[in-house]
Amino acid sequence: MLLTWLLKPFKPPPENAEWIHWGRAIFATYFLTSIPFRIAFLPEFEPTRKFPGFVVLDLASTTFFCYDTIVLAQLHWNSPREDSIIPTTYEPHNDDPIIQDRENFDETVLFKQTRHIRHRWRVLFSFAITVPLEYLSYLLEGEDRANIFMINKLFRLFYLKGYLEYLSMILGSKGHLKNVGFRRTWALFFAMALAGHWCGCGFYYVSRKQAEKGVAMTWPEAAGLYSTMSSEEATESNLKIEATLFESYIQSLYWAYITMITTGFGDIVPLTIQETVWCIFSMLVGVFITALTIANLQQLVTSLDASRLRFQREMEIMKKFLRYRLVPAGLQKRIATFFDHQWDVLKGEDEQKFLLELPQSLQQQVTNFMCRDIIASLSILRKANTSLLNALVECTEMNTYSPNDEIVKVGEKIRGAILISRGEAELMKGAMVERKLRRLDRFAEECLFVDKVSLHSVRSKGFSEVLILPSVLFQRVINFQCDEDHIAQMKETSLALAKNGAKANKLFGLSDDLAYIDSFEKHFLPSSKFRKIWDILVLIGLVLYVFYLPISFMHLIENSPFTKTPVLLSLQYVLDAFFIADAVFNFHYFVYFEEGLLVRDKSYIHQKFISSRNCWREIIGMLPLDLLSCFFGGRYLHHFRLVKVVRIPNIVNSFQNIDSMLSELNIDIDLSLYRVIKLNIVMITACHWVGCIWFMMASLSMASGYDGNWRVADENNEFLSVKHSDFAGFAGYLRSVYWALVGMSTVGYGDIIPTNIIETTYATFVILLGGLFLPAIVGGLAAYMGNFNIAGKTFQKKLARVRSYLLRINIGDDVLEKVLRYYNFHWSRQGGIIENEAMDKLPTTLRFSVASHINGSMIESTPFFSRCDQSTKQIIVTALQSRVFTPLDIIAKEGDNGFEMFFLQRGRVTISTSQMSLPVITSSSKGDFFGECYLLDSETSCETVTACVYCEFYVLSQDDFKEIVESADERLSVQNSVQHYVNQKKSRYQKMARNLTLRPKCERLLKQKMGEKPRLSSMNLILPDSKLLLLWDTVLLSSCSFIAWAIPFRLAFQSEMEMSHFDFVIDLVIDSFFLFDMVLHFRFIAFIQNGKLVTDINKIKRHYKAHKLRLDLIAAVPLDTIARLVLPSRFANFVDSLKLLKLIRLGRQFHTVDRLFRELLDRGFNLAPLRLVEFLSGVVLIAHWAGCGFYAVARWKNRYQECAGKESSGLEISKWASHHAECLWSDTWIERQIRKGKLPTSGGATLQLYIRSFNWALPTLVVVVIGDVVPVSSNETLYAFIWMAIGVTINAAIIGN
């Protein structure tokens, strides 16, 4: 009671009070950051006037948490215990002693008691970590007392996660952090920042304590942060602080981040055992948080584009299907436009799939919500109750129509009422538009009661969603729920409305409202060439802004007027004028499509521009603020240019326009490859921005009065020969971007490091943000690279599973070969596409159009379907299902009962009967049909149909036929026609059998015609799956592997020497192999095309000429040898480079590796380790190329001939073995290796040089850098930067595979 009375004045805040949650997060963060800082850097802290800022903030934070604890206690003691604000669950177990007696066990009482105990402990714990124990330091003497007593407040760390999650929910409800991935990302960044702060403070604290105990050297002393004093000089402490508090803290934080994010520049390292132990602990914590952050960022990077990627893959599958079925370009464009509309509306979400995932009750509620208002708009149902409307909703059909699709045709029987749900339609009579139908408008309402043939056509103007309420189902519902008087009243109302509507249509009839578009306006249509070119120019302009604007950062501090960068600024002014024109065009001229309708009204175009773009951002971006530099001075020109950065967010929409353009132009590009390219652009852009600001940091350091900066240190480094003036001043920028990539990719060479507090502060934030962002880009690249040729990989995995299963059950080799041939046929023809699934994704009208194009002519030419009306034929066309038969499959057997009729699409079949010993007919024409007798109930087949090759059929089942042909009279008419056709066929076969019996010459001619051609023997042709061909391809693979290793090595290490006899012989043998292989493929090796074995010599020759001859000829002819004999010696480099053409053959050998693996799989080998070896061998090969190039850059810097006989240039002869070595290796990375003793003074033997260059290449490519081999010149820096950018992708490929 006393406690309740004491807590009564404190009223809890309302539930929607955000300030309490913000206060918890802010004050908890203050405690968690300030207390470790004071323990490490302010050991003398006491809650006195000496530290007023900390004292005030401590008091405010403590007061807030006291209030929070009191409110928590009040809610606990004053509220009913069963209605606690903190949800707690208790799940009793069978072995708990408290519930052994189940008869007396009350789970509700136990739950309340347990929750009450937990609440009490929470209140007590909150009170314990809130009490200001630091004031007890007045009672004790000595340093660190106040800080030590504040440690209880650090236990707020256990509450911080909940505080941040609640803030994320608040921000998400306001639309700031809607994406869950973004919420997790900023929380993990906060965790890394806080962990780095703690580790940095702990690193300094451990070192300070060691120094106070008299340890000779610690890292802060080595860094110049403090120095130790002798006992005579020391007063209270033996440390003399040399740096400011901020400098010490930044250095500690800098070490923490480069250690925890695994960058490791190596400029700050632990020097004592205690520091090493703390370093190990920090690395473990950092690796854990870094892994979580990078994994979340990777998921975020891929999920941002996941729905678009999934949608584009579905479009890619659809395009393959349409191309395979030779669908006309106009219909393909209609389908592509429909899917683009679906993306604009649903953003790739599958509406039907979403509804199916809901419970039945919720499905019904959502469907009723979507359609009930539209059904209720019918005049006859204005007063209908909810149950009637819900029943009618279940009867409706929802269809989506593309622009210019006919919803109802003239002369077509109207099935029921037509209601517009979305979009716009036109009621037309001839070319006259009598009425426009928009949302909630309807047509043919009277057809719910009377049968009527349409005198009008209803055409969709844009993309329209139309509800059709069938009259048959409508009559069933109202007859069940309404009385006769009500039904009669509804019928009378509908007929009266129909008459009034017809009069209104005649009175207000309109001609087509599409005004004439003149030649000038045609250029502004979304599909015009001008718009496409303009969109490309906009993207190029934005990309140029992205790369040009950061260069302005490089000159912000310097006095750099217009005259110093005239070309750059002139180009930017051209871009400014271009984007002003772009804003004018988008605001006034660029028409657009909305739901398939062309919007040309200027007011709508203005509204579209205002709603889709930030007007203030556009205005600021267009303002010529550069002119203000005329008044303030030319050095401020770059400051005013920075306002153009507001244009950069438009690049996202520009890339989306390019995506749509690529889709319209049917440009086939691997979607994963396309996204890999975009992510690489993002990575290079991030390095560019960070590098430009890093360049500016040196200028800022000079302007702030620091003696040195990283640029001066870089040029004055005795181990480097870098000059920032190289490449016309481009070398300084190159070194900046090089540092950015090295730092953010966690390579961490350590050859460029910050030299003052300004640069260290910037480097700290770059490592924290970039060191997590760039690995996330690598993760995104890995995810996309793992999806390269995803359809092909999926097919190969499926084929491997099928092969493994068939081998496991010991199936015969002939059956195994037949199954694998079938899968290869399916892949070669359709790329693994399941045709029925592709058709199901199309709306009804487009499905009718595609099916009519594929099978419409077959149904029209079928004699017994000619009696059906047009709508029935359309339904039959869409009901046909695709089916494939392999060679020698029996499609229909004489005397058997079946259930499907077959229409031949592709292939060749033979037809035979029991009355004749030989097949009498060979059919290969599209549209030929068999099994028509199966549409009859009791008829058996009179023929046996056998597939000669792979055959594609469309089948119509008996059940589908009966369901489609609903009318009994129509079905009987079709069945009579079928019976008549079957009888004719039987009679024809009987006559053919009698002729063969009476005329033996006919039988001989038939045998000659139907006989098989003699097969070529194995002596004439080599089959594509023969072991002999596999052996030969293995020899070629070994040869290509040898030249892939040998040619780069020769170009780098032997380019100045004469070719040895051994090399000449090897090249001659390999060239002979290639020429012999050309002869084999030109004449003797068969191939499989579309699942069929091609053995015709002429076809083999034509196929080889069309696909392989040119490249094989370039790779096989010894062009380098010919050029060496013809050209003079000064063209030696060109002659040597011709050897690279032989590497073309390497790309042809990947299929050999796949065949070898398939052979090993058949023999029971586990391919996973071999696949890993294959991939890593590729990585090592690329590293070999990079290492050879790295050596070549150093070697070609000082030409070999020019250094022959070169006199000393003044360097000490003791550093070099000869004057030749001095000339050849000076100012290269090899000189640095010689100075460090890694190479002898002569430069070393070829093997030594190769090992050192490879020692640079492989760690760089896999981003695990040792750092003992680094570029030392501008040329080497450029080369290293290129390979590091490539290495990021290779590292992603390693992770992805």
Side-chain angles (χ1 to χ4, degrees):
M1 293 294 293
L2 178 62
L3 186 59
T4 303
W5 179 77
L6 291 174
L7 297 177
K8 187 175 182 180
F10 296 94
K11 294 182 179 180
E15 294 182 0
N16 59 350
E18 295 181 7
W19 65 269
I20 188 72
H21 304 290
W22 281 102
R24 288 169 178 169
I26 292 173
F27 288 123
T29 303
Y30 166 73
F31 277 142
L32 295 174
T33 53
S34 66
I35 294 175
F37 177 82
R38 281 179 269 182
I39 292 175
F41 299 97
L42 291 175
E44 68 277 10
F45 170 77
E46 291 180 357
T48 61
R49 295 180 181 178
K50 185 178 179 181
F51 303 96
F54 284 116
V55 171
V56 172
L57 291 175
D58 287 348
L59 184 60
S61 303
T62 303
T63 303
F64 174 84
F65 281 117
C66 286
Y67 168 78
D68 186 54
T69 302
I70 292 173
V71 168
L72 182 66
Q74 184 187 32
L75 290 174
H76 169 60
W77 268 284
N78 290 348
S79 301
R81 294 181 181 178
E82 62 271 15
D83 297 330
S84 174
I85 62 169
I86 306 171
T88 309
T89 59
Y90 178 79
E91 298 180 359
H93 300 282
N94 294 333
D95 54 351
D96 289 346
I98 195 171
I99 62 170
Q100 290 296 325
D101 186 5
R102 292 188 175 271
E103 295 181 357
N104 301 323
F105 173 67
D106 189 346
E107 293 187 1
T108 304
V109 174
L110 176 61
F111 174 77
K112 293 179 180 179
Q113 292 175 352
T114 305
R115 186 169 56 184
H116 175 64
I117 294 172
R118 291 182 178 179
H119 294 173
R120 179 182 299 175
W121 279 108
R122 181 180 178 184
V123 172
L124 294 177
F125 182 74
S126 179
F127 174 78
I129 62 177
T130 305
V131 175
L133 299 178
E134 63 269 19
Y135 292 101
L136 295 178
S137 62
Y138 288 116
L139 304 178
L140 302 172
E141 297 181 357
E143 296 181 354
D144 296 347
R145 297 295 185 181
N147 292 330
I148 295 300
F149 279 115
M150 294 183 70
I151 288 180
N152 68 313
K153 294 182 173 58
L154 295 181
F155 287 96
R156 284 283 166 191
L157 180 66
F158 297 109
Y159 290 90
L160 186 62
K161 180 176 179 292
Y163 297 160
L164 296 179
E165 286 179 351
Y166 206 96
L167 285 184
S168 297
M169 293 172 58
I170 293 175
L171 294 174
S173 63
K174 295 184 176 181
H176 300 302
L177 287 175
K178 292 183 179 180
N179 192 301
V180 178
F182 279 121
R183 297 183 192 178
R184 288 198 300 262
T185 297
W186 85 266
L188 288 170
F189 267 105
F190 181 85
M192 174 56 78
L194 183 61
H197 169 77
W198 279 39
C199 290
C201 293
F203 195 49
Y204 187 88
Y205 177 79
V206 169
S207 302
R208 181 174 60 81
K209 285 297 183 182
Q210 290 296 305
E212 289 175 353
K213 293 179 180 179
V215 176
M217 180 62 70
T218 58
W219 79 263
E221 186 176 358
L225 302 182
Y226 60 67
S227 59
T228 57
M229 297 181 294
S230 61
S231 57
E232 293 80 7
E233 297 174 340
T235 55
E236 296 182 358
S237 173
N238 63 338
L239 300 182
K240 180 181 179 181
I241 305 299
E242 303 287 351
T244 64
L245 188 64
F246 179 73
E247 290 176 342
S248 300
Y249 172 69
I250 288 297
Q251 289 281 4
S252 303
L253 197 64
Y254 167 75
W255 168 88
Y257 289 143
I258 65 174
T259 301
M260 299 175 70
I261 303 178
T262 70
T263 299
F265 283 133
D267 49 340
I268 299 179
V269 295
L271 300 177
T272 66
I273 295 298
Q274 289 78 5
E275 291 174 357
T276 303
V277 172
W278 184 261
C279 182
I280 294 173
F281 171 76
S282 300
M283 282 190 288
L284 292 175
V285 174
V287 167
F288 177 73
I289 300 179
T290 300
L292 289 177
T293 308
I294 292 175
N296 183 75
L297 280 170
Q298 172 191 344
Q299 184 180 11
L300 178 62
V301 168
T302 53
S303 64
L304 288 176
D305 202 27
S307 57
R308 182 71 180 179
L309 179 62
R310 185 171 58 250
F311 167 77
Q312 290 180 338
R313 280 183 178 152
E314 291 179 357
M315 281 296 300
E316 186 178 16
I317 293 173
M318 183 62 65
K319 288 179 181 178
K320 288 182 180 179
F321 162 67
L322 297 177
R323 284 196 296 267
Y324 174 67
R325 289 302 179 189
L326 303 178
V327 174
L331 183 54
Q332 290 190 36
K333 187 174 182 180
R334 285 178 57 197
I335 294 172
T337 306
F338 165 76
F339 278 102
D340 289 339
H341 167 71
Q342 289 294 99
W343 169 259
D344 293 336
V345 174
L346 300 174
K347 299 302 179 185
E349 297 298 331
D350 191 338
E351 190 174 16
Q352 296 298 326
K353 183 179 179 181
F354 165 74
L355 289 175
L356 291 175
E357 291 175 351
L358 296 176
Q360 188 65 33
S361 58
L362 291 180
Q363 288 185 32
Q364 185 64 42
Q365 293 179 27
V366 173
T367 305
N368 291 344
F369 173 78
M370 294 169 60
C371 302
R372 187 188 302 160
D373 293 341
I374 301 172
I375 296 296
S377 66
L378 289 170
S379 301
I380 59 176
L381 298 175
R382 293 284 171 83
K383 298 181 180 180
N385 55 37
T386 304
S387 61
L388 176 59
L389 292 177
N390 289 340
L392 292 175
V393 164
E394 295 183 6
C395 301
T396 57
E397 301 174 6
M398 172 74 78
N399 294 321
T400 302
Y401 294 89
S402 302
N404 299 321
D405 280 350
E406 285 190 304
I407 303 172
V408 178
K409 298 180 181 179
V410 177
E412 180 183 351
K413 180 181 177 181
I414 304 176
R415 297 172 54 206
I418 298 172
L419 303 99
I420 307 300
S421 173
R422 178 185 293 172
E424 184 175 328
E426 294 173 329
L427 181 66
M428 304 183 67
K429 193 165 187 178
M432 182 74 67
V433 179
E434 289 194 352
R435 181 183 169 197
K436 289 189 176 182
L437 304 175
R438 296 184 175 89
R439 176 173 169 80
L440 301 183
D441 288 342
R442 62 265 181 202
F443 170 69
E445 188 174 350
E446 69 278 9
C447 292
L448 295 173
F449 297 96
V450 295
D451 293 336
K452 184 177 179 182
V453 175
S454 178
L455 301 177
H456 299 78
S457 65
V458 181
R459 184 183 68 182
S460 175
K461 190 173 182 182
F463 284 100
S464 305
E465 291 184 4
V466 178
L467 286 178
I468 299 177
L469 181 58
S471 58
V472 176
L473 299 179
F474 175 80
Q475 291 292 334
R476 291 178 187 173
V477 172
I478 63 173
N479 288 333
F480 180 76
Q481 295 201 13
C482 303
D483 54 31
E484 294 182 357
D485 294 338
H486 191 191
I487 295 174
Q489 184 180 0
M490 287 192 294
K491 180 177 181 180
E492 181 181 355
T493 302
S494 66
L495 295 176
L497 290 174
K499 293 180 180 179
N500 295 333
K503 293 179 181 178
N505 293 339
K506 293 179 180 179
L507 182 62
F508 299 106
L510 301 171
S511 60
D512 194 349
D513 67 336
L514 288 178
Y516 175 73
I517 301 177
D518 59 30
S519 58
F520 178 72
E521 289 181 327
K522 285 181 179 178
H523 296 301
F524 299 137
L525 294 175
S527 58
S528 65
K529 281 187 178 180
F530 175 78
R531 283 288 293 271
K532 289 182 172 61
I533 296 173
W534 189 265
D535 288 340
I536 294 173
L537 292 177
V538 168
L539 178 61
I540 294 174
L542 290 173
V543 170
L544 290 176
Y545 263 136
V546 167
F547 281 91
Y548 283 158
L549 287 176
I551 298 178
S552 299
F553 284 106
M554 298 173 61
H555 304 288
L556 281 181
I557 310 301
E558 302 172 358
N559 186 8
S560 178
F562 181 88
T563 54
K564 285 192 175 183
T565 54
V567 177
L568 177 64
L569 289 176
S570 298
L571 182 58
Q572 291 192 47
Y573 288 138
V574 172
L575 288 177
D576 292 345
F578 171 78
F579 280 107
I580 291 175
D582 177 66
V584 173
F585 283 154
N586 279 280
F587 182 75
H588 195 70
Y589 293 104
F590 281 172
V591 298
Y592 64 95
F593 282 110
E594 184 172 356
E595 294 188 349
L597 298 176
L598 182 65
V599 180
R600 300 173 57 214
D601 188 271
K602 299 298 182 184
S603 60
Y604 285 104
I605 296 175
H606 298 166
Q607 293 176 9
K608 172 76 173 179
F609 178 84
I610 294 172
S611 61
S612 62
R613 298 199 182 188
N614 190 315
C615 291
W616 286 109
R617 191 172 63 195
E618 293 291 331
I619 294 173
I620 293 173
M622 288 188 292
L623 290 177
L625 298 180
D626 310 38
L627 300 178
L628 296 178
S629 61
C630 298
F631 303 98
F632 294 96
R635 65 171 299 176
Y636 295 102
L637 176 66
H638 297 287
H639 294 73
F640 294 116
R641 289 293 306 168
L642 295 181
V643 297
K644 306 299 179 183
V645 77
V646 298
R647 293 190 185 279
I648 292 179
N650 294 335
I651 199 171
V652 177
N653 294 329
S654 187
F655 266 115
Q656 291 178 356
N657 293 335
I658 298 300
D659 290 346
S660 301
M661 186 187 308
L662 293 175
S663 177
E664 291 177 8
L665 297 176
N666 290 325
I667 296 177
D668 291 327
I669 181 173
D670 191 285
L671 297 176
S672 296
L673 176 61
Y674 179 55
R675 278 155 178 78
V676 165
I677 294 173
K678 290 205 295 187
L679 281 181
N680 272 287
I681 293 174
V682 171
M683 179 189 68
I684 298 299
T685 302
C687 294
H688 172 70
W689 279 72
V690 171
C692 289
I693 301 176
W694 176 243
F695 186 93
M696 186 196 71
M697 289 295 109
S699 303
L700 182 60
S701 300
M702 287 188 290
S704 301
Y706 286 96
D707 295 334
N709 57 71
W710 75 266
R711 277 160 36 195
V712 174
D714 193 40
E715 289 190 296
N716 295 337
N717 192 327
E718 62 175 341
F719 291 104
L720 304 178
S721 59
V722 174
K723 295 181 181 178
H724 287 196
S725 58
D726 290 345
F727 303 145
F730 179 74
Y733 161 80
L734 181 61
R735 294 291 288 179
S736 304
V737 179
Y738 163 78
W739 173 86
L741 183 57
V742 166
M744 291 197 298
S745 63
T746 69
V747 172
Y749 278 137
D751 51 342
I752 301 177
I753 58 175
T755 60
N756 55 61
I757 193 61
I758 294 177
E759 295 171 356
T760 303
T761 304
Y762 177 71
T764 301
F765 286 101
V766 167
I767 297 302
L768 173 61
L769 300 177
L772 296 176
F773 170 75
L774 205 62
I777 295 293
V778 174
L781 290 172
Y784 289 135
M785 295 190 75
N787 289 329
F788 271 172
N789 189 24
I790 187 64
K793 290 181 178 178
T794 304
F795 170 75
Q796 291 296 336
K797 289 180 181 178
K798 183 177 182 180
L799 197 62
R801 289 197 300 268
V802 171
R803 178 192 294 270
S804 177
Y805 169 74
L806 295 178
L807 290 175
R808 191 166 55 249
I809 63 175
N810 297 321
I811 201 166
D813 293 339
D814 54 342
V815 179
L816 174 64
E817 188 65 24
K818 189 175 181 180
V819 171
L820 297 181
R821 283 280 179 85
Y822 163 74
Y823 277 104
N824 286 324
F825 168 81
H826 183 67
W827 172 258
S828 62
R829 279 297 182 97
Q830 298 187 2
I833 298 171
I834 301 176
E835 186 170 322
N836 296 332
E837 292 183 0
M839 290 288 288
D840 290 341
K841 294 177 181 178
L842 296 174
T844 305
T845 54
L846 292 178
R847 193 183 309 130
F848 279 161
S849 300
V850 174
S852 298
H853 168 77
I854 299 174
N855 300 317
S857 59
M858 293 192 307
I859 299 300
E860 291 289 345
S861 62
T862 305
F864 38 82
F865 286 139
S866 59
R867 300 175 181 271
C868 301
D869 59 22
Q870 194 63 29
S871 60
T872 303
K873 292 178 184 177
Q874 285 185 344
I875 300 175
I876 291 175
V877 164
T878 57
L880 296 178
Q881 300 292 319
S882 178
R883 191 78 56 80
V884 175
F885 290 91
T886 61
L888 302 182
D889 280 351
I890 296 177
I891 302 165
K893 190 173 182 180
E894 183 179 2
D896 285 355
N897 287 315
F899 304 97
E900 293 175 328
M901 178 181 177
F902 303 90
F903 295 88
L904 181 63
Q905 182 71 16
R906 283 187 177 92
R908 182 164 56 91
V909 300
T910 59
I911 303 174
S912 61
T913 66
S914 60
Q915 301 172 4
M916 295 172 287
S917 59
L918 291 175
V920 293
I921 298 176
T922 300
S923 177
S924 60
S925 301
K926 177 182 176 181
D928 290 345
F929 54 88
F930 320 100
E932 66 280 352
C933 56
Y934 295 151
L935 298 180
L936 306 176
D937 293 329
S938 59
E939 189 69 31
T940 60
S941 177
C942 62
E943 59 193 358
T944 298
V945 183
T946 306
C948 298
V949 294
Y950 284 96
C951 298
E952 294 183 50
F953 286 90
Y954 279 95
V955 299
L956 176 65
S957 68
Q958 187 183 92
D959 294 337
D960 288 340
F961 168 73
K962 292 180 179 180
E963 184 178 351
I964 293 169
V965 186
E966 296 178 352
S967 171
D969 295 337
E970 187 177 21
R971 187 186 309 127
L972 182 61
S973 174
V974 173
Q975 289 179 343
N976 289 335
S977 299
V978 172
Q979 186 67 58
H980 178 68
Y981 185 84
V982 171
N983 294 336
Q984 286 183 336
K985 182 182 288 189
K986 290 180 179 179
S987 176
R988 185 168 64 252
Y989 289 161
Q990 290 174 358
K991 292 178 181 179
M992 293 176 66
R994 187 166 55 252
N995 288 336
L996 291 175
T997 304
L998 299 176
R999 297 175 175 85
K1001 185 177 180 181
C1002 293
E1003 185 174 0
R1004 289 196 302 271
L1005 292 175
L1006 184 60
K1007 287 182 179 180
Q1008 183 178 356
K1009 180 180 178 181
M1010 300 301 296
E1012 295 185 359
K1013 296 180 180 180
R1015 297 185 61 183
L1016 293 171
S1017 66
S1018 59
M1019 295 294 294
N1020 297 328
L1021 282 183
I1022 301 175
L1023 298 180
D1025 53 357
S1026 66
K1027 297 294 190 293
L1028 179 61
L1029 181 60
L1030 179 60
L1031 179 62
W1032 173 248
D1033 285 342
T1034 305
V1035 172
L1036 287 179
L1037 176 63
S1038 303
S1039 302
C1040 291
S1041 301
F1042 173 78
I1043 64 174
W1045 281 89
I1047 289 178
F1049 184 84
R1050 291 180 191 171
L1051 290 176
F1053 293 90
Q1054 300 177 3
S1055 59
E1056 309 286 349
M1057 304 178 187
E1058 292 293 334
M1059 181 181 292
S1060 66
H1061 293 291
F1062 176 77
D1063 294 337
F1064 180 79
V1065 171
I1066 290 295
D1067 287 351
L1068 183 61
V1069 171
I1070 292 176
D1071 291 341
S1072 302
F1073 282 168
F1074 289 165
L1075 291 172
F1076 184 65
D1077 181 68
M1078 291 177 61
V1079 174
L1080 288 179
H1081 280 86
F1082 184 74
R1083 174 62 178 79
F1084 296 102
I1085 298 179
F1087 65 95
I1088 296 176
Q1089 187 176 37
N1090 296 333
K1092 181 181 178 181
L1093 181 65
V1094 179
T1095 58
D1096 185 83
I1097 301 298
N1098 294 324
K1099 290 183 179 180
I1100 292 174
K1101 292 179 179 179
R1102 288 196 298 269
H1103 181 268
Y1104 184 72
K1105 288 179 181 178
H1107 296 89
K1108 301 178 181 179
L1109 178 61
R1110 296 179 184 88
L1111 292 179
D1112 285 357
L1113 191 62
I1114 293 173
V1117 175
L1119 298 175
D1120 55 321
T1121 304
I1122 298 173
R1124 190 181 300 276
L1125 298 174
V1126 175
L1127 298 177
S1129 59
R1130 65 176 180 271
F1131 294 101
N1133 290 335
F1134 173 73
V1135 172
D1136 291 336
S1137 63
L1138 291 177
K1139 298 177 182 178
L1140 295 174
L1141 296 175
K1142 297 183 184 297
L1143 297 179
I1144 295 174
R1145 289 299 298 252
L1146 185 63
R1148 288 268 311 278
Q1149 302 306 315
F1150 292 129
H1151 75 282
T1152 304
V1153 178
D1154 292 335
R1155 283 200 61 199
L1156 284 172
F1157 284 171
R1158 192 159 58 241
E1159 186 69 21
L1160 294 175
L1161 181 64
D1162 293 344
R1163 297 179 181 275
F1165 284 86
N1166 182 12
L1167 295 185
L1170 297 178
R1171 289 287 185 187
L1172 180 62
V1173 171
E1174 176 202 14
F1175 183 78
L1176 294 181
S1177 299
V1179 174
V1180 173
L1181 178 61
I1182 296 175
H1184 167 75
W1185 293 350
C1188 292
F1190 193 53
Y1191 172 81
V1193 170
R1195 185 186 184 91
W1196 292 346
K1197 185 178 186 296
N1198 304 312
R1199 298 297 299 166
Y1200 187 86
Q1201 291 92 343
E1202 295 174 359
C1203 291
K1206 187 82 172 178
E1207 296 296 331
S1208 176
S1209 59
L1211 292 178
E1212 295 181 13
I1213 193 66
S1214 60
K1215 294 182 179 180
W1216 303 96
S1218 64
H1219 301 311
H1220 172 74
E1222 172 190 338
C1223 172
L1224 190 60
W1225 306 124
S1226 61
D1227 298 334
T1228 64
W1229 65 269
I1230 297 177
E1231 179 188 2
R1232 178 170 179 172
Q1233 296 297 299
I1234 293 172
R1235 291 190 177 188
K1236 287 189 171 185
K1238 302 294 181 68
L1239 289 174
T1241 55
S1242 62
T1246 300
L1247 181 60
Q1248 290 177 297
L1249 292 168
Y1250 171 74
I1251 291 175
R1252 297 310 298 169
S1253 61
F1254 190 79
N1255 185 47
W1256 167 84
L1258 183 60
T1260 299
L1261 290 180
V1262 298
V1263 199
V1264 183
V1265 173
I1266 302 172
D1268 57 340
V1269 182
V1270 295
V1272 301
S1273 66
S1274 300
N1275 295 330
E1276 293 169 3
T1277 301
L1278 178 60
Y1279 182 84
F1281 175 80
I1282 294 172
W1283 274 105
M1284 277 192 293
I1286 297 174
V1288 170
T1289 305
I1290 292 176
N1291 190 36
I1294 294 174
I1295 299 172
N1297 287 276

